[in-house]
Amino acid sequence: MTGSAPHELGEFLKIRRAELTPRSVGLPDSGAPRRVPGLRREEVALLAAISTDYYTRLEQGRIDVSEPVLDAIARVLKLSDDQREYAFELAGKETGRPRPLEAQVVNPQLQLLLDDLMSIPAMVLGRRMDVLAWNEMGAALVGDFGQIPKKDRNYAKMIFSDRMRDLYADWEAAARLAVAQLRMEMARNPDSPRLLALVGELSERDADFRRWWAEHHVAARRVGAKTLNHPVVGELTLEWDTLACSTDPDQHLTIWTPQPGTATHDRLRRLAAWVADGHPAAPGPAN
């Protein structure tokens, strides 16, 4: 492990340990007051079949951890798939994939696909959640990415703008997810200067980000549903899905689709007609 990764892993395990109770992992609970919330270190060590001293040093960031031991600890702490992946990334156990270069441009095939999507909002996110490309419907739905300086064209950064707070019906849930996805990015690229600067900037300027970053929740880009209060067509409830680029797994095409026959489906068609009539994209999120 390099940089702050050992300490990040230790802090992550400590937080996850505090979320569990003896009863939740099959241990007897006397009901007596406990000095610390959640499981004790010795309880985790017992269930993972390792020494308490070893686990203590791991939480303190003083030792490396083998893959079998980390797998056992992940099982004891009931880590989700995303959390387990995050822990393994922090431990540096995915060594088969080389660290990517800082520069990244949209894959040409993804760009062609974006250009052909006329009625569905879509965008391509890269490392650090940078917005690499988008189609007209994506700009009409979320904002005019072209008006945002390239260095600030980052979805995690944009979601903490005032306009995004108004756009998302449940902004807190959307922002928390973005923070969890950004923390996964940090595990994959712990030494990225741009990523470190982004986290530092958001931590300095936004109290919500600071609080949620400290919770160490993680999430991969997969699927979900979000409701938006669009300034042109009104409320939209859209399902989103993420497709990874086979030639560059760090590029993901995100598409937003409505359920057929719903009010959202009709409103999205109206938005597509609004775009086809030559209207500009919705105002871009303020920085």
Side-chain angles (χ1 to χ4, degrees), residues 6 13-14 35 37 60 93 95 156 163 165 176 224 263 269:
L13 297 178
K14 180 179 179 181
R35 291 183 303 154
Q60 293 172 344
K93 297 307 171 187
T95 57
R163 183 183 181 278
R165 291 174 188 264
R176 280 180 172 270
R269 291 178 65 182

Side-chain angles (χ1 to χ4, degrees), residues 32-37 40 42:
R34 299 170 70 88
R35 291 183 303 154
V36 295
R40 300 186 179 98
E42 55 265 31

Side-chain angles (χ1 to χ4, degrees), residues 53-107:
D53 178 65
Y54 181 96
Y55 183 75
T56 298
R57 286 184 288 146
L58 177 59
E59 273 199 5
Q60 293 172 344
R62 295 193 288 126
I63 59 170
D64 195 3
V65 61
S66 68
E67 185 173 328
V69 169
L70 186 56
D71 189 58
I73 292 171
R75 173 182 49 78
V76 171
L77 296 180
K78 298 184 179 297
L79 300 187
S80 67
D81 290 343
D82 287 351
Q83 290 171 338
R84 183 183 182 280
E85 180 183 351
Y86 176 71
F88 271 69
E89 290 277 6
L90 286 179
K93 297 307 171 187
E94 293 196 359
T95 57
R97 186 176 69 174
R99 290 297 177 190
L101 299 175
E102 284 294 306
Q104 191 177 31
V105 295
V106 64
N107 177 276

Side-chain angles (χ1 to χ4, degrees), residues 65 77 124 131 142 159:
V65 61
L77 296 180
V124 176
V131 180
V142 179
I159 206 166

Side-chain angles (χ1 to χ4, degrees), residues 222-279:
R222 291 205 172 101
V223 298
K226 292 177 181 176
T227 299
L228 294 82
N229 297 316
H230 195 272
V232 176
V233 296
E235 183 179 286
L236 299 168
T237 299
L238 297 165
E239 297 178 358
W240 58 273
D241 201 346
T242 304
L243 308 174
C245 175
S246 60
T247 57
D248 184 354
D250 286 327
Q251 292 192 34
H252 296 87
L253 173 68
T254 299
I255 57 175
W256 307 58
T257 55
Q259 283 289 336
T262 61
T264 291
H265 183 265
D266 295 336
R267 289 168 186 162
L268 200 63
R269 291 178 65 182
R270 282 167 41 204
L271 184 61
W274 184 77
V275 171
D277 284 342
H279 290 285

